[in-house]
């Protein structure tokens, strides 16, 4: 049928809903670049349907991802539909990583690069949500883009915010920076909350249409806004973590005790007479690992890595186990810990406190005279810790050679040095992100900010934990003997070649040359950069950028090795009090010590995905708390000047990281005496009149203009050069 005949056939007619949608789609496909509203469509099709009927059809087609709504009630063909017409669409599952602009990048397991999704194409998806996206390559575009097709799982349903009261309903304005929709609450669901109070709201109905608001009910009233405690709670809640354990979980934990029957004691290797101690941060209460040392004949020694036996208390399918899996991780904010397990377990029953008999799951290694591992044993044990060291106390013993268990600590440190040397000889990367620490007053307000200094005591513990984690994974993999035993591996993929090439070009402009021919050469170049940065402060800015070029470590049943550590097999076994991945590893290892056990792989893989998602949410919360405390600290120093280093440059200005506190803020070009032009590489900017060049890595001195706690933002001004 010709176009003319088709128009004549529907002209003046009132079409059914199905016919109307069909004709609208044909119209858009004939004119794919058109933006049309209901009135224009009626005019073009010459039909008798009302404007409301056409508008309803347009909205339904938008809900089905056929059309996309834009300004002035107009619609266009959805990009997915356009790409489908060109045969260029594929669908993937991924996790939303929101940006401050409201757009997002979707991290997909099956794609090397994250997929950009514009804010209007997110279908109300939020940071951390698991989504199904359509990925398409539009003509003339260099990189693929995407649109959210469906939200598969919400990262959180609870949000903390400030209540505003209207005559017909309440409105909760979320604290979460990338939750940009206000949440409507019916007057019957306010829990007697008052205007301006902080509340927790649970979303019970998510909008299906663009620019509509979610509907919620208030579950907790927290009181007046303001204060450190409220802000930290907000960070936890808005990242999807519940502050309290359900009553049934607490009741279950309270029924547990540490009494052991003679039969249970007999089933464990009794190591209570062996010298054993813990080394942890001064503020720690959940001691989940201990080390023991026993000297053997012929210069050999036995080192025990003893891990809290959480699985002795937490059994599958119990309320405790289900809650631990749901949380999957403890969350460590600047001033508090939100534990994975109730305090009765994390700080009492499971914690390897000194002078108490404790159930442990141990990895015991025999070291030969040459300092190399010659034998290993895994199994359930009973230990008695003789001493609890803080890192500072253990370090003092190592430096002075005097104090409790000086001989044992010195021996362990010598073995740790050899383990470390072996690790780097096999391709491990030495990059370490600087950890910011705070000194807080009694109200939780930061009075100082500094970076954690890693010394031998820290690395000693780390090296023995890495050994246990590696050997457990190796044991399971070798035991499989060609028939896979599904296990929870901690993997880290090789770097993306394009990202590494971009980074290498960036580094070269700052004077550092990388070799990129093989993964081993890349690792060696990274290690050389880490050493060079200690001597040249300008190269220091490259270290965090280098870390960002790497793949993110994750949990999976598909072992691809751990590139960053240079390990072929690696798992997490040593922190079951705070990581559910380790609980799963304990259970699978125990079942495979006496025989061979295979859990269904797809079922285990799904658990791995959930744990990885929870880990990322915890990391987001931890970073957010650090940023908040940095801004809070610097807010007491507005008007003061500090030394820093240019850490990044964008069109609006450049970022400066302060030398001591590592607080980062922006110097806007509008505060400068002249306009600046950004170089193509974004490594430098040049003054248009003076030709002055500012480049990444340059030392600068800045004055603090403003510290905005609500936006976690610091504004700075460059001091004039003398």
């Amino acid at each position: 049928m010709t176009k003319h005949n088709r128009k004549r056939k529907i002209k003046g007619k009132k079409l059914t809903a199905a016919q109307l949608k069909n004709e609208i789609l044909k119209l858009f496909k004939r004119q794919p670049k058109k933006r049309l509203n209901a009135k224009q469509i009626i005019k073009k099709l010459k039909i008798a349907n009302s404007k409301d009927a056409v508008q309803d059809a347009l909205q339904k087609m938008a809900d089905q991802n056929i059309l996309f709504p834009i300004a002035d009630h107009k619609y266009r063909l959805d990009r997915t539909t356009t790409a489908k017409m060109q045969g260029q669409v594929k669908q993937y599952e991924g996790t939303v990583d929101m940006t401050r602009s409201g757009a997002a990048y979707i991290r997909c397991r099956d794609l090397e690069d994250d997929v950009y999704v514009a804010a209007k194409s997110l279908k109300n998806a939020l940071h951390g949500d698991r989504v199904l996206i359509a990925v398409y390559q539009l003509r003339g575009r260099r990189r693929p883009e995407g649109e959210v097709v469906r939200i598969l799982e919400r990262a959180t349903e609870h949000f903390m915010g400030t209540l505003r009261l209207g005559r017909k309903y309440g409105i909760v304005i979320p604290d979460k920076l990338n939750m940009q929709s206000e949440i409507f609450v019916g007057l019957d669901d306010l829990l007697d909350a008052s205007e301006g109070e902080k509340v927790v709201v649970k979303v019970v109905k998510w909008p299906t249409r663009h620019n509509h608001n979610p509907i919620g009910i208030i579950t907790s009233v927290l009181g007046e806004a303001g204060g450190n405690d409220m802000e930290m709670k907000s960070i936890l809640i808005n990242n999807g973590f519940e502050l309290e354990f359900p009553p049934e979980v607490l009741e279950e934990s309270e029924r547990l005790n540490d009494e052991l029957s003679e039969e249970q004691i007999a089933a464990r290797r009794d190591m209570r007479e062996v010298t054993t101690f813990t080394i942890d941060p001064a503020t720690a209460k959940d001691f989940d690992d201990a080390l023991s040392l026993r000297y053997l004949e012929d210069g050999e020694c036995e080192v025990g890595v003893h891990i809290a036996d959480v699985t002795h208390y937490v059994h599958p399918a119990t309320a405790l186990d289900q809650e631990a899996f749901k949380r999957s991780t403890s969350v460590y904010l600047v001033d508090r810990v939100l534990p994975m397990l109730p305090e009765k377990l994390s700080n009492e029953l499971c914690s390897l406190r000194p002078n108490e008999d404790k159930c442990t799951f141990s990895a015991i290694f025999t070291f030969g005279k040459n300092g190399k591992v010659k034998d290993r044993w895994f199994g359930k044990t009973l230990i008695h810790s003789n001493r609890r060291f803080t890192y500072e106390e253990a370090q003092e013993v190592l430096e002075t050679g005097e104090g409790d268990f000086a001989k044992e600590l010195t021996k362990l440190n010598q073995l740790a040095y050899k383990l470390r040397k072996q690790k780097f000889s096999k391709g491990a990367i030495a990059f370490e992100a600087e950890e910011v620490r705070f000194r807080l007053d009694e109200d939780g307000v930061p009075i100082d900010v500094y970076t954690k200094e890693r010394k031998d005591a820290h690395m000693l513990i780390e090296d023995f934990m890495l050994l246990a984690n590696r050997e457990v994974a190796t044991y399971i993999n070798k035991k499989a003997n060609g028939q896979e035993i599904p296990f929870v591996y901690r993997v880290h993929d090789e770097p993306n070649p394009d990202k590494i090439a971009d980074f290498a070009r960036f580094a070269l402009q700052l004077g550092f040359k990388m070799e990129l021919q093989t993964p081993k050469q890349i690792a060696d170049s990274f290690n050389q950069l880490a050493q060079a940065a200690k001597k040249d402060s300008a190269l220091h800015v490259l270290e965090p950028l280098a870390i960002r070029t790497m793949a993110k470590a994750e949990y999976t049943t598909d072992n691809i090795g751990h590139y960053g550590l240079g390990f072929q097999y690696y798992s997490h076994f040593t922190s079951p009090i705070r990581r559910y991945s380790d609980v799963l590893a304990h259970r699978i290892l125990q079942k495979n010590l006496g025989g061979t056990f295979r859990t269904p792989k797809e079922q285990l893989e799904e658990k791995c995905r959930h744990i990885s998602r929870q880990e990322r949410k915890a990391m987001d919360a931890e970073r957010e708390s650090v940023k908040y405390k940095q801004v809070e600290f610097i807010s007491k120093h507005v008007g003061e000047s500090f030394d820093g280093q240019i850490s990044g440059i964008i069109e609006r200005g450049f970022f400066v990281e302060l030398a001591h506190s590592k607080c980062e803020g922006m110097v806007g070009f509008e505060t400068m005496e002249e306009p600046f032009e950004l170089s193509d590489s974004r490594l430098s900017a040049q003054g248009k009149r003076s030709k002055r060049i500012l480049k990444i890595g340059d030392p600068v001195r800045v004055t603090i203009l403003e510290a905005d706690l609500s936006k976690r933002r610091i504004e700075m001004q460059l001091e004039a050069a003398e």
Side-chain angles (χ1 to χ4, degrees):
M1 185 183 294
T2 66
K3 176 181 172 183
H4 179 72
N5 288 337
R6 181 166 54 245
K7 275 192 175 181
R8 190 165 55 196
K9 187 176 179 182
I10 64 171
K11 182 179 178 181
K13 290 190 175 182
K14 188 175 182 180
L15 306 181
T16 66
Q19 289 172 328
L20 183 56
K21 285 169 65 176
N22 190 40
E23 292 299 330
I24 291 172
L25 180 57
K26 288 177 183 176
L27 174 62
F28 275 104
K29 282 185 174 180
R30 289 196 301 272
Q31 302 175 338
K33 293 185 178 180
K34 282 287 186 182
R35 274 76 171 137
L36 302 170
N37 59 29
K39 191 175 178 182
Q40 291 168 325
I41 288 169
I42 291 170
K43 186 176 180 181
K44 281 184 174 291
L45 294 179
K46 296 182 169 54
I47 53 177
N49 296 71
S50 68
K51 181 182 172 185
D52 287 344
V54 175
Q55 181 61 45
D56 185 62
L58 289 168
Q59 186 57 58
K60 284 178 178 174
M61 293 172 78
D63 294 341
Q64 294 168 341
N65 301 317
I66 298 168
L67 300 179
F68 192 84
I70 52 178
D72 300 325
H73 304 289
K74 289 185 178 182
Y75 291 76
R76 62 163 170 81
L77 269 181
D78 190 286
R79 286 177 179 169
T80 311
T81 306
T82 306
K84 279 180 181 175
M85 289 164 59
Q86 300 167 354
Q88 295 174 327
V89 129
K90 290 184 179 179
Q91 292 189 339
Y92 298 91
E93 283 188 24
T95 305
V96 178
D97 187 1
M98 293 280 283
T99 67
R100 286 192 174 185
S101 69
Y105 289 90
I106 313 298
R107 302 188 300 260
C108 301
R109 287 172 61 88
D110 299 327
L111 293 174
E112 283 192 1
D113 293 321
D114 296 345
V115 179
Y116 175 78
V117 176
K120 58 190 177 183
S121 301
L122 277 169
K123 300 283 192 294
N124 295 303
L126 301 173
H127 184 74
D129 287 353
R130 190 164 62 90
V131 294
L132 180 69
I133 60 168
V135 179
Y136 46 80
Q137 182 75 56
L138 294 177
R139 286 174 185 162
R141 300 283 179 91
R142 188 171 68 87
R143 299 186 65 172
E145 296 181 19
E147 291 187 5
V148 171
V149 174
R150 188 166 67 253
I151 296 165
L152 302 174
E153 182 184 353
R154 288 286 183 181
T156 181
E157 294 178 332
H158 291 83
F159 297 90
M160 186 166 160
T162 306
L163 178 65
R164 296 286 177 244
L165 290 175
R167 286 194 304 172
K168 295 183 178 179
Y169 45 77
I171 297 174
V172 176
I173 304 166
D175 296 339
K176 195 173 176 75
L177 295 177
N178 47 26
M179 168 55 165
Q180 297 172 340
S181 296
E182 296 172 342
I183 302 167
F184 285 19
V185 181
L187 297 180
D188 294 334
D189 297 316
L190 294 176
L191 275 190
D192 296 324
S194 302
E195 169 76 20
E197 284 191 306
K198 286 285 184 181
V199 296
V200 179
V201 59
K202 178 182 179 182
V203 174
V204 294
K205 185 179 180 183
W206 293 94
T208 57
R209 295 186 173 188
H210 187 63
N211 290 333
H212 283 223
N213 292 77
I215 307 296
I217 58 172
I218 290 176
T219 58
S220 295
V221 181
L222 302 175
E224 292 184 13
N228 285 283
D229 184 58
M230 196 71 79
E231 291 297 335
M232 294 300 110
K233 285 178 179 177
S234 173
I235 288 170
L236 290 167
I237 291 168
N238 288 330
N239 278 285
F241 294 99
E242 295 181 27
L243 303 183
E244 305 295 335
F245 286 95
E248 64 272 17
V249 172
L250 293 174
E251 289 167 11
E252 199 172 276
S253 69
E254 289 302 319
R255 289 196 296 269
L256 298 171
N257 61 66
D258 56 5
E259 293 176 10
L260 292 175
S261 67
E262 291 299 322
E263 185 181 359
Q264 288 173 317
I265 292 173
R268 292 175 177 271
R269 180 170 171 175
D270 194 339
M271 300 192 69
R272 287 177 287 184
E273 298 303 315
V274 182
T275 300
T276 303
F277 43 77
T278 60
I279 306 176
D280 289 280
T283 55
K285 295 178 181 177
D286 53 346
F287 313 138
D288 53 12
D289 58 80
L291 293 178
S292 68
L293 180 68
R294 175 159 55 188
Y295 291 98
L296 306 175
E297 296 177 355
D298 301 324
E300 296 182 346
C301 66
E302 174 193 271
V303 176
V305 179
H306 307 287
I307 308 303
D309 189 4
V310 171
T311 59
H312 175 72
Y313 300 100
V314 180
H315 299 153
T318 59
L320 263 172
D321 184 57
Q322 290 168 351
E323 182 68 15
F325 171 64
K326 179 183 172 185
R327 293 176 179 239
S328 285
T329 182
S330 295
V331 189
Y332 292 82
L333 303 191
V334 168
D335 64 348
R336 70 195 64 200
V337 178
L338 183 69
M340 182 181 81
L341 297 171
E343 191 173 313
K344 174 76 178 286
L345 281 159
S346 60
N347 293 358
E348 296 178 30
L349 292 178
C350 294
S351 186
L352 306 183
R353 302 187 297 192
N355 305 313
E356 296 180 10
D357 291 353
K358 290 292 180 179
C359 294
T360 46
F361 200 157
S362 302
I364 298 173
F365 302 96
T366 302
F367 284 82
K369 286 189 291 186
N370 60 0
K372 292 184 178 180
V373 176
K374 61 178 290 188
D375 196 14
R376 67 186 176 193
W377 177 90
F378 304 114
K380 297 291 184 87
T381 53
L382 201 59
I383 68 162
H384 187 96
S385 175
N386 303 102
R387 171 76 148 87
R388 181 264 162 124
F389 285 99
T390 66
Y391 280 116
E392 291 75 17
E393 290 168 343
Q395 185 63 33
E396 186 177 353
V397 172
L398 289 174
E399 289 175 359
T400 63
E402 298 177 355
D404 293 345
F405 306 111
K407 182 182 176 184
E408 288 84 354
L409 277 167
T410 301
K411 180 63 176 177
L412 288 170
N413 198 36
Q414 290 169 353
L415 293 172
Y417 264 95
K418 291 186 177 181
L419 289 170
R420 210 172 307 148
K421 186 177 179 181
Q422 291 167 19
K423 181 180 70 176
F424 288 120
S425 71
K426 292 181 179 178
I429 297 173
F431 272 134
E432 293 166 1
E434 288 183 312
E435 289 188 53
V436 176
R437 291 286 185 266
F438 297 82
R439 291 188 183 90
L440 307 173
D441 66 16
E442 61 275 10
D443 297 318
V445 177
I447 54 178
D448 189 21
V449 190
Y450 60 98
T451 53
K452 173 183 169 183
E453 188 178 0
R454 280 168 50 80
K455 296 186 176 181
D456 281 355
H458 297 93
M459 291 186 281
L460 180 159
I461 291 297
E462 181 180 290
D463 287 322
F464 281 106
M465 297 308 117
L466 289 174
L467 173 65
N469 288 334
R470 184 189 74 198
E471 292 302 308
V472 165
T474 303
Y475 171 84
I476 290 289
N477 199 279
K478 299 299 184 188
K479 183 182 176 70
N481 198 24
Q483 290 186 306
E484 183 183 12
I485 296 174
F487 192 58
V488 180
Y489 292 100
R490 180 70 168 176
V491 304
H492 184 231
D493 205 353
E494 293 178 359
N496 178 296
D498 293 337
K499 287 183 180 179
I500 287 293
D502 287 346
F503 174 77
R505 285 191 288 272
F506 196 103
L508 188 61
Q509 292 185 55
L510 289 184
F512 185 83
K513 187 175 187 302
M514 293 188 67
E515 298 295 335
L516 308 178
Q517 282 70 33
T518 67
K520 178 70 166 62
Q521 283 186 328
I522 294 170
D524 289 343
S525 291
F526 277 141
N527 286 332
Q528 289 161 16
L529 174 58
Q531 290 302 313
K534 292 177 182 177
K535 300 174 184 176
D536 183 353
S537 61
L539 295 178
H540 173 71
V541 296
L542 288 173
E543 291 188 88
L545 297 176
I547 291 170
R548 274 180 237 158
T549 67
M550 304 232 186
K552 290 182 173 67
E554 62 180 0
Y555 298 104
T556 179
T557 56
D558 294 320
N559 180 51
I560 58 170
H562 198 294
Y563 176 74
L565 292 173
F567 292 162
Q568 187 176 359
Y569 311 109
Y570 189 63
S571 66
H572 273 169
F573 169 80
T574 54
S575 294
I577 291 177
R578 62 184 180 91
R579 292 190 306 229
Y580 194 79
S581 58
D582 304 48
V583 174
L584 289 176
H586 280 214
R587 287 176 181 159
I588 296 170
L589 176 61
Q590 177 63 22
K591 288 180 178 179
N592 280 283
L593 289 177
T596 301
F597 171 80
R598 291 180 173 87
T599 192
K601 183 170 181 176
E602 187 49 48
Q603 186 182 94
L604 187 60
E605 181 63 26
E606 189 53 44
K607 288 182 178 179
C608 287
R609 290 183 191 134
H610 171 77
I611 295 167
S612 293
R613 288 194 295 269
Q614 290 298 102
E615 178 190 40
R616 290 192 192 102
K617 285 161 58 176
M619 289 170 65
D620 287 343
E622 290 160 18
R623 278 195 293 264
E624 204 175 323
S625 80
V626 168
K627 184 67 177 176
Y628 180 87
K629 290 295 184 184
Q630 285 177 316
V631 178
E632 186 178 25
F633 168 75
I634 218 70
S635 68
K636 307 292 188 293
H637 299 277
V638 171
E640 297 179 29
S641 297
F642 297 89
D643 290 323
Q645 186 178 36
I646 297 177
S647 56
I649 307 177
I650 60 175
E651 277 82 359
R652 293 192 298 110
F654 56 93
F655 295 98
V656 174
E657 182 186 85
L658 302 185
H660 175 69
S661 65
K662 303 302 173 185
C663 299
E664 189 177 60
M666 176 182 270
V667 176
F669 285 134
E670 77 277 2
T671 67
M672 307 286 280
E673 294 179 349
E674 61 177 320
F676 274 74
E677 195 169 48
L678 196 60
S679 68
D680 291 340
S681 67
R682 292 178 173 263
L683 285 169
S684 62
Q686 186 176 51
K688 287 191 174 181
R689 290 194 297 273
S690 68
K691 305 302 179 185
R692 177 187 180 184
I693 293 176
L694 299 168
K695 65 178 186 297
I696 287 179
D698 279 353
V700 290
R701 189 164 178 83
V702 293
T703 302
I704 307 302
L705 294 180
E706 183 185 1
D708 188 334
L709 269 172
S710 64
K711 294 180 180 176
R712 319 281 200 264
R713 199 157 58 200
I714 301 169
E715 301 290 342
M716 303 173 173
Q717 185 171 19
L718 189 67
E719 283 198 357
E722 294 182 2

